[in-house]
Each structure stands twice: as C-alpha cells, then as structure tokens.
Amino acid sequence: MQKRSISRLALTIAAASAVPYVHAEAGGFIEDATATLQARNYYFSRDFSDIEGPNQQSKAEEWGQGFIFNFKSGYTQGTVGVGVDAIGMLGVKLDSSPDRAGAGLLPVADDGRGADDYSRLGAALKVRVLSTELRIGELQPNLPVLTFSDIRLLPPTYQGVSFVSNEITGLTLQGGHLRSTSLRNEAGDDRMRAMLGRTPQAGFSDAFNYAGGDYAFNAKRTSLSAWYAQLEDIYNQRFLGLKHSEPLGSWTLGANLGVYESQADGSKLAGEIDNRAFYSLLSARQGGHTFYVGYQAMFGDSAFPRVFANVTPLGNEVPTYEFAEKDERSWQARYDYDFAAVGVPGLVATMRYISSDNVDTDRGFEGTAHERDLDVSYTIQSGPLKNVGIRIRNVAARSNYRSDIDENRLILSYTLALF
C-alpha cells in the first residue's frame, strides 16, 4: 500500500489544478473546466454477535475525515477534442483502535492499527470525437457489471482505458480494459480479485474487461441493457436488464429486472464458479411516497461473483448483507418518502426490510437471513450551511449461518464549487 503525507498531497493537488493553464489558448479547455472540493466526515460502527468464522472481533468502529478534489477540464477546439480530469483524495483518522479497526474507512497496518492518513492523486486523459469519448488513466466506471461503490470515506478508482459512445440516439455503448484498482481504504494500486457472495477470494487477476450497451426508447421511459464482463482467469459474466416507467393517473409505476450468468474463466484462480442470478424490483410512486417490492434468486453451484469490494445492482443487495449466497432466495419491501411533498425539501427517508431463505450453507442446514434498514438524509437548503448534507443509517441484520450485525453510520458532507 502506498502512503503520502498530507503536505505532499496538498502540493500535488495544487500542481495538478494548475496544469490546464498551460493550454489556456485552447478555448474550451479552460472555459468549460470545473473543480469541486468535497469534505466528508464519516462515522461507521458495526457490532457483531453470534460471530461466525475465524475473525472473532466483536466490533468495527472508526471515524474519519475525507477530502475529495475533482477537476474536469473542457475540451480543446477542433474535430478531436482533448481534455484532462484529475482527482485527489485524502483521508484522515479521527478515531480508531486495533480492537475496532477494519471498518473499511482506513487502511489497516501490519500491527492492526488504522493508518493516521492516506491519500491518492490520479488523472485521466480524455479524447472526444463527435459523440464518442476515450479515457486513459484514473477511472470511476459505474456499470451493471462494475458498480461505482462509494460507500465509505473515500471512493474507489480503477486504472485503465475506457470508451463511451452516444453516436446513435438513445443508444449508449461502452467498453474498457482495467488493469488495477485503488480500493476505498487504500492509496496504492492493487490487482483485482473476486468476491463470491460475502467471501473474498485469494486469486488475483491481471485485468477486468467489459463491453455493453443501454438503449433507451419510448420517450426514455424504457431501457434495455446487455453487458459482458471478464475478470481474467477468475470469472466471466453476462447481464441482461430491463427498466420501465409507466405513468398511471397520479401514480408512476416502475419495473427494474435483470439476469446475470457467470462462469469460471481461464485458469480458474477462485475455483469453479457457476451462478445465475435473477432480480426484480417493482415500484409505485405518488407525490412524496414510493413503494417497492422485490424478489431475487440465486441458482447454480456457487454464490454470485463480483469484483472485490464492490456492491452490485442486484435488486435486494444492500451494503450490509448481500443476499447473494448459493441458492439464496430473498424478498424485499421498501418505502421511501420525500418530505418536499409537505414543504420540507431536502429531507428524504427510506425504510426497508429484506428476508431470505434456501441458502446452501454446506453445513447440513438451510441458511436464512433478514435485515431491517432505516436511512434518513437531509440537505440544508438555505443559510450559511446551505448544501451541507447529513445522512443517518441504522441497520439490524440477523442470520442463522453468518454473524449478526447492528450497524450505525453518520455522514456529514459538503461540496464546494471552486470554479
């Protein structure tokens, strides 16, 4: 793991933000440039009981302060436009100890202690021709086969090349080759590995390759998706998805359906993988109310594979339990309320309950699990604290085959537009 001092990161960010002025005469490169700085204060606590597995630590609790600097240039003028994006990230420990480390907010040193600080600076060259863009360098893709998992103090990044093309109206085509990753609580570049369900695998891959497309039609109320991904020598995966939104009087009905098929790839560094996953999430929205029901099922001889340590778009996956173990079936009921409907804009609450059974535990009994989530977020709308965001998350998760979890998160965030 690579670590930089705070002062070095500050100097590097300053230097990176100054680079575009060398090309000021290029026109749109500077005129369309933007820069933001987000401050994120993150408290995370997980209490474990009925602990399963070799790690008998009963609590993971950390508190950190993060800073995320994002610079996005415009493009040079001409048929081929060139630009640069840069991201600088700094995480600072506010509280941690060896008996509570491992919450995913901070790197963990060899002595079991959370690092005092960690940082990263990355940049990507971007080239645009018509409505197609090529990026080389530091990337943050958000795909059905590699979801952008910004669920801790700092977001993860990947290093490689990607393209996005919108040459045909309604059709977005994407592809990429990623050679390494910087995890959410690390500063250096690492090779990628897989998770099967909740379990990280030992084998490391040299690359993640993907290609796919999304086609929106019916006034953008309907979209179809088809994707292929390969974590070289570990697994390959196919995805088909459908999303639809249908107005019905004062209601808006929605459907989000998806199917994954995954197999072991090449040298099979994580062993045999054979999984088919189906999810469905149906919604009904009226005013500030949105109701959801979901069903998700795993088939095959293994749990669902994904790149470590990401979440996925599976309908019933949440950041605590994944509900993606071998043969697992799960059901969800969820209710969201946007208080703007009663004159309190910026305040949103979510209540969710997920229950599962039929898990093949390989221990002679059927695994079951359930989870209850409560999320409340508020963005201050005016005054000196305008745009300050507050989010509270409380979770109770119980299972007969894995550790029970009681979880609390408190996140304060503010994004300052620099230019």
Side-chain angles (χ1 to χ4, degrees):
M1 179 182 69
Q2 179 180 345
K3 183 179 175 184
R4 301 182 179 90
S5 67
I6 299 175
S7 59
R8 181 179 174 187
L9 178 73
L11 290 173
T12 310
I13 291 177
S17 62
V19 167
Y21 289 90
V22 175
H23 306 277
E25 72 278 8
F29 192 103
I30 295 301
E31 279 77 356
D32 294 335
T34 62
T36 61
L37 178 64
Q38 182 186 88
R40 180 183 295 177
N41 188 281
Y42 206 124
Y43 169 78
F44 182 102
S45 173
R46 271 185 182 173
D47 286 286
F48 303 96
S49 60
D50 294 332
I51 297 175
E52 300 281 348
N55 183 5
Q56 296 296 300
Q57 182 176 325
S58 63
K59 189 170 189 176
E61 182 181 38
E62 293 178 324
W63 181 26
Q65 176 65 51
F67 298 93
I68 305 169
F69 170 82
N70 268 296
F71 169 82
K72 297 182 183 299
S73 79
Y75 292 90
T76 58
Q77 296 177 345
T79 304
V80 179
V82 179
V84 175
D85 290 350
I87 183 170
M89 296 184 286
L90 169 66
V92 180
K93 178 176 70 177
L94 299 180
D95 181 63
S96 181
S97 67
D99 60 328
R100 295 181 285 111
L105 265 61
L106 304 166
V108 180
D110 293 339
D111 62 1
R113 297 180 180 275
D116 291 335
D117 61 82
Y118 65 111
S119 58
R120 180 173 183 82
L121 177 67
L125 172 70
K126 55 186 181 182
V127 180
R128 185 178 67 186
V129 180
L130 299 177
S131 296
T132 297
E133 181 183 73
L134 176 72
R135 291 175 177 262
I136 304 171
E138 201 84 358
L139 306 173
Q140 293 182 308
N142 188 19
L143 317 165
V145 290
L146 189 67
T147 305
F148 181 56
S149 302
D150 188 9
I151 56 175
R152 290 294 195 277
L153 184 64
L154 299 177
T157 60
Y158 296 86
Q159 296 76 47
V161 57
S162 70
F163 79 86
V164 179
S165 178
N166 293 286
E167 302 295 345
I168 300 174
T169 301
L171 178 64
T172 299
L173 299 175
Q174 299 190 57
H177 171 80
L178 309 177
R179 56 175 176 76
S180 59
T181 182
S182 177
L183 297 174
R184 62 198 181 198
N185 62 334
E186 293 186 2
D189 297 349
D190 287 323
R191 297 167 69 197
M192 286 169 281
R193 56 177 172 149
M195 293 179 68
L196 289 180
R198 72 188 188 282
T199 308
Q201 303 299 298
F204 287 85
S205 174
D206 290 330
F208 181 83
N209 305 304
Y210 67 89
D214 304 294
Y215 180 60
F217 58 99
N218 191 21
K220 296 185 178 181
R221 291 191 288 109
T222 306
S223 66
L224 299 174
S225 300
W227 289 81
Y228 173 82
Q230 177 198 34
L231 186 59
E232 289 184 3
D233 289 320
I234 296 182
Y235 72 84
N236 56 69
Q237 187 173 76
R238 288 145 296 283
F239 170 76
L240 294 175
L242 166 68
K243 293 182 180 179
H244 180 69
S245 177
E246 185 66 35
L248 186 64
S250 61
W251 291 82
T252 300
L253 307 182
N256 182 1
L257 311 175
V259 177
Y260 288 90
E261 182 182 26
S262 310
Q263 284 90 31
D265 184 77
S267 300
K268 302 181 180 180
L269 298 178
E272 292 293 339
I273 296 175
D274 172 45
N275 176 270
R276 289 166 298 285
F278 167 78
Y279 71 85
S280 60
L281 189 62
L282 307 179
S283 64
R285 175 170 55 85
Q286 183 191 50
H289 307 275
T290 307
F291 303 89
Y292 296 87
V293 291
Y295 174 72
Q296 180 172 295
M298 302 293 126
F299 304 93
D301 296 328
S302 68
F304 182 81
R306 90 282 305 278
V307 175
F308 178 85
N310 284 351
V311 297
T312 73
L314 289 170
N316 286 0
E317 179 166 329
V318 286
T320 307
Y321 280 178
E322 303 81 8
F323 298 98
E325 298 296 328
K326 181 179 177 182
D327 291 337
E328 188 164 16
R329 311 286 193 266
S330 58
W331 299 261
Q332 175 182 173
R334 171 177 164 179
Y335 171 66
D336 293 0
Y337 188 71
D338 185 343
F339 286 83
V342 291
V344 189
L347 179 61
V348 178
T350 295
M351 294 179 287
R352 173 171 44 210
Y353 181 80
I354 304 175
S355 178
S356 76
D357 60 15
N358 201 55
V359 178
D360 185 346
T361 62
D362 291 326
R363 292 156 58 184
F365 64 89
E366 176 188 346
T368 63
H370 63 268
E371 176 173 332
R372 186 270 305 150
D373 303 339
L374 173 62
D375 287 271
V376 180
S377 62
Y378 179 60
T379 301
I380 298 174
Q381 302 293 297
S382 61
L385 297 179
K386 183 180 179 180
N387 295 326
V388 171
I390 305 167
R391 181 183 176 189
I392 299 171
R393 176 178 172 83
N394 175 264
V395 175
R398 299 291 183 265
S399 174
N400 70 342
Y401 71 96
R402 60 182 296 183
S403 300
D404 295 340
I405 295 175
D406 289 301
E407 177 181 300
N408 290 286
R409 306 188 195 193
L410 175 61
I411 307 163
L412 305 178
S413 63
Y414 176 73
T415 300
L416 174 66
L418 301 177
F419 57 84

